[in-house]
């Protein structure tokens, strides 16, 4: 199809390719802030406890529960943000949706760093500032939920088919770099003073540091167009064709405009207009991305390594090794996703993760917690990073037909955040269960994640269509041809 050779050759194509990359990099700031916010709270946990929770004098269980809720409160916002992102994207546009996310990031960065602002003296409110702090963290979570959907969607809708997988994978790399980068930011801030300074001032700098990339995101969004597909959907055809012309030249722009118009007028935007399976596939991809256990591994890596017998310093060092593997193998996905396709990477990644998790469960069960266990964790993270990390986001941005894309993607993303919360919460329950530990020595959760990895691979093999090289407008035909 003509769409498969767009942006290849010629002066206009070269200029269009450069514009696509520029717009992609702006959109990936949403992913960077997604990762940044996910990890920035880690450096402030003890300070938040010291300022807002410890003075309440609660019993241990109540204290730990309130602390856990406070630290994870952003996930509540993520679920809500994912749920409304589709409506925001369809009603106001992809660009304005990202702009809203950037505003939420900026407001929450300032508010979580200074929760007393407008309510009392900074640093003097004590536990009374906990409620506004949680509210600002929820606000940030809403921004994360919206950006987690709209950044890959924006990229998918401006990218040519032959490079779309790689360009969407930039967003996953931005998430990973945001997580890694904020660890260094937190470390640099913590090095400026002692524990008393960190509990008084340092933690505020950590949370407030997010305001810088959020402000940059806001400024850059003022200079990017909305996607041609949304512009055509709302009847702004002239603007859409102007953007398409900049992206791919006048001849291809006219052809693409007709394809988009055809995909939008043939059906209503009723959610189940294409049958229920396309929505089910999107939801299940999202669920499996979390049920394989990645966030339990990433969030609790130091605890995992301590369970394996490492000291605190050694556990933190081993966590850095895991983070390096995450970055390196995300690069592998960026290089291979448009060459090998989406399905092969997902199936191969599921196999690698299954072997690694089952091996880790066995090693823990046998009390063999040396270098072999570390290797198993690193192999698992590598398997996720080259497959289910970036590739699921690529597929979610591709598989839904244009008329239902916003609504369907929003549901899938909300499901992903719910699963993230369930896995993150349940790991502590499973890993701390005395009966399970007596039988499996902290290995049960990893057996479970290995089993889900096997199911994930089988699901992709049986139900997920290959989208490599196809235009977004072709996906309606793909589902029809498959009888779905």
């Amino acid at each position: 199809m003509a769409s498969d050779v767009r942006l290849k050759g010629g002066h206009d194509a070269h200029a269009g390719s450069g514009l696509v990359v520029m717009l992609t990099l702006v959109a990936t700031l949403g992913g960077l802030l997604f990762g940044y916010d996910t990890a920035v709270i880690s450096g402030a946990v003890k300070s938040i406890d010291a300022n807002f929770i410890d003075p309440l004098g609660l019993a241990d269980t109540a204290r730990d529960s309130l602390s856990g809720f406070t630290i994870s409160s952003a996930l509540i916002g993520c679920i809500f943000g994912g749920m409304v992102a589709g409506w925001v994207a369809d009603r106001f546009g992809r660009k304005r949706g990202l702009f809203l996310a950037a505003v939420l990031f900026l407001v929450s960065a300032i508010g979580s760093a200074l929760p007393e602002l407008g309510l009392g003296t900074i640093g003097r409110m004590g536990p009374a500032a906990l409620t506004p702090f949680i509210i600002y963290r929820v606000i940030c979570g809403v921004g994360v939920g919206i950006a987690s959907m709209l950044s890959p969607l924006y990229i998918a809708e401006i990218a040519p088919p032959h490079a779309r997988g790689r360009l969407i994978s930039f967003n996953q790399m931005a998430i990973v770099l945001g997580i890694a980068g904020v660890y260094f930011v937190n470390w640099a801030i913590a090095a400026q003073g002692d524990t008393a300074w960190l509990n008084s001032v340092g933690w505020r700098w950590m949370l407030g540091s997010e305001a810088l990339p959020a402000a940059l995101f806001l400024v850059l969004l003022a200079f990017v167009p909305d996607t041609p597909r949304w512009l055509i959907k709302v009847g702004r055809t002239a603007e859409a064709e102007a953007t398409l012309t900049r992206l791919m030249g006048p001849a291809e722009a006219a052809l693409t405009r007709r394809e988009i118009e055809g995909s939008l007028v043939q059906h209503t935007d009723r959610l189940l207009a294409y049958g229920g399976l396309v929505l089910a596939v999107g939801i299940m991809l999202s669920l499996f991305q979390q049920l394989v256990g990645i966030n339990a591994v990433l969030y609790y890596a130091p605890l995992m390594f301590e369970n394996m017998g490492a000291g605190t310093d050694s556990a933190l060092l081993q966590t850095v090794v895991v983070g390096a593997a995450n970055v390196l193998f995300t690069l592998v996905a960026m290089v291979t996703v448009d060459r090998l396709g989406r399905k092969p990477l997902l199936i191969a990644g599921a196999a690698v993760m299954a072997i690694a998790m089952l091996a880790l469960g066995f090693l823990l069960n046998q009390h063999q917690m040396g270098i072999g266990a570390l290797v198993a964790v690193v192999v698992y993270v590598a398997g996720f990073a080259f497959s289910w990390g970036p590739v699921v986001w690529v597929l979610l941005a591709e598989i839904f037909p244009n008329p239902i894309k916003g609504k369907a993607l929003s549901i899938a993303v909300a499901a992903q955040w719910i699963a993230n919360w369930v896995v993150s919460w349940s790991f502590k329950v499973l890993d701390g269960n005395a009966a399970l530990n007596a039988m499996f020595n902290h290995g049960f959760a990893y057996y479970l994640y290995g089993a889900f990895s096997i199911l994930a691979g089988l699901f992709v093999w049986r139900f997920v269509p290959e989208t490599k090289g196809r235009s977004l407008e072709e996906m309606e035909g793909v589902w029809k041809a498959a009888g779905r």
Side-chain angles (χ1 to χ4, degrees), residues 229 232 256-269 274 401-404 471-477:
R229 287 168 175 86
I232 290 175
T256 301
R257 188 205 73 210
R258 290 194 295 270
E259 289 179 352
I260 296 171
E261 288 174 336
S263 72
L264 292 173
V265 302
Q266 291 175 8
H267 292 281
T268 70
D269 61 356
Y274 299 85
N402 281 337
I404 67 168
S471 72
L472 297 180
E473 286 64 50
E474 289 180 75
M475 290 313 301
E476 178 183 344

Side-chain angles (χ1 to χ4, degrees), residues 25-35 98 105 147-148 151 171 175 217:
L25 292 177
V26 173
T28 59
L29 280 174
L32 180 80
L33 285 159
F34 170 174
L98 287 171
F105 284 130
S148 69
S151 288
N171 192 62
I175 294 171
F217 194 27

Side-chain angles (χ1 to χ4, degrees), residues 131-455:
T131 297
F133 177 84
I134 291 173
I135 291 172
Y136 282 117
R137 290 296 297 164
V138 171
I139 289 172
C140 195
V142 176
V144 171
I146 292 173
S148 69
M149 174 194 148
L150 283 184
S151 288
L153 176 60
Y154 183 93
I155 296 167
E157 291 191 342
I158 56 96
H162 70 271
R164 190 170 56 236
R166 182 175 72 255
L167 291 173
I168 296 175
S169 295
F170 280 15
N171 192 62
Q172 179 68 18
M173 176 56 73
I175 294 171
V176 170
L177 291 176
I179 293 172
V182 78
Y183 286 139
F184 287 99
V185 171
N186 285 350
W187 172 80
I189 291 172
Q192 302 306 306
D194 57 15
T195 300
W197 177 85
L198 181 62
N199 288 345
S200 175
V201 177
W203 70 273
R204 299 180 187 273
W205 283 105
M206 290 178 181
L207 292 167
S209 66
E210 187 183 4
L212 293 177
L216 178 63
F217 194 27
L218 267 177
V219 171
L220 292 178
L221 282 170
F223 299 97
V224 305
D226 215 315
T227 70
R229 287 168 175 86
W230 181 78
L231 291 170
I232 290 175
K233 184 174 183 178
V234 297
R236 294 160 60 178
T237 305
E239 292 178 59
E241 187 153 8
T243 301
L244 286 168
T245 299
R246 293 175 63 199
L247 291 171
M248 60 185 62
E252 290 296 333
L255 174 61
T256 301
R257 188 205 73 210
R258 290 194 295 270
E259 289 179 352
I260 296 171
E261 288 174 336
S263 72
L264 292 173
V265 302
Q266 291 175 8
H267 292 281
T268 70
D269 61 356
R270 185 171 56 87
L271 186 60
L272 298 180
Y274 299 85
L277 193 54
V278 60
L279 181 61
V281 166
I283 292 172
M284 291 306 298
L285 283 170
S286 287
L287 294 179
F288 275 125
Q289 189 196 50
Q290 299 301 316
L291 293 175
V292 297
I294 184 61
N295 282 315
V297 172
L298 294 180
Y299 292 169
Y300 297 109
L303 175 61
M304 288 170 52
F305 293 129
E306 288 177 17
N307 287 338
M308 296 174 194
T312 301
D313 290 343
S314 179
L316 292 173
L317 177 61
Q318 291 173 11
T319 302
V320 171
V321 174
V322 169
N326 200 6
V327 172
L328 176 62
F329 282 89
T330 299
L331 284 172
V332 172
M334 293 172 62
V335 172
T336 58
V337 66
D338 284 317
R339 297 179 183 178
L340 301 180
R342 288 54 160 155
K343 288 187 69 168
L345 287 180
L346 288 180
I347 293 171
V352 170
M353 290 189 297
I355 292 170
M357 284 290 95
L358 294 176
L360 179 59
F362 176 79
L363 289 170
L364 289 171
N365 200 11
Q366 298 299 310
H367 297 268
Q368 297 179 16
M369 297 175 285
I371 189 66
L374 174 61
V375 169
V377 174
V378 172
V379 169
Y380 166 81
V381 170
F384 181 87
F386 79 73
S387 61
W388 284 80
V391 177
V392 166
W393 288 111
V394 173
L395 275 170
L396 289 178
E398 293 177 329
I399 62 172
F400 299 118
N402 281 337
I404 67 168
K405 186 180 291 291
K407 293 178 181 178
L409 186 53
S410 187
I411 292 171
V413 170
Q416 187 173 128
W417 283 110
I418 293 171
N420 183 331
W421 177 80
V422 170
V423 170
S424 302
W425 168 79
S426 64
F427 176 79
K428 289 293 291 288
V429 175
L430 295 173
D431 192 64
N433 186 281
L436 290 175
N437 287 337
M439 296 175 62
F440 301 102
N441 188 39
H442 297 287
F444 178 79
Y446 308 111
Y447 283 135
L448 190 62
Y449 302 147
F452 275 122
S453 297
I454 294 171
L455 291 175

Side-chain angles (χ1 to χ4, degrees), residues 26-50:
V26 173
T28 59
L29 280 174
L32 180 80
L33 285 159
F34 170 174
Y36 197 103
D37 181 74
T38 299
V40 69
I41 194 73
S42 64
V45 170
K46 291 182 179 180
S47 298
I48 291 166
D49 286 348

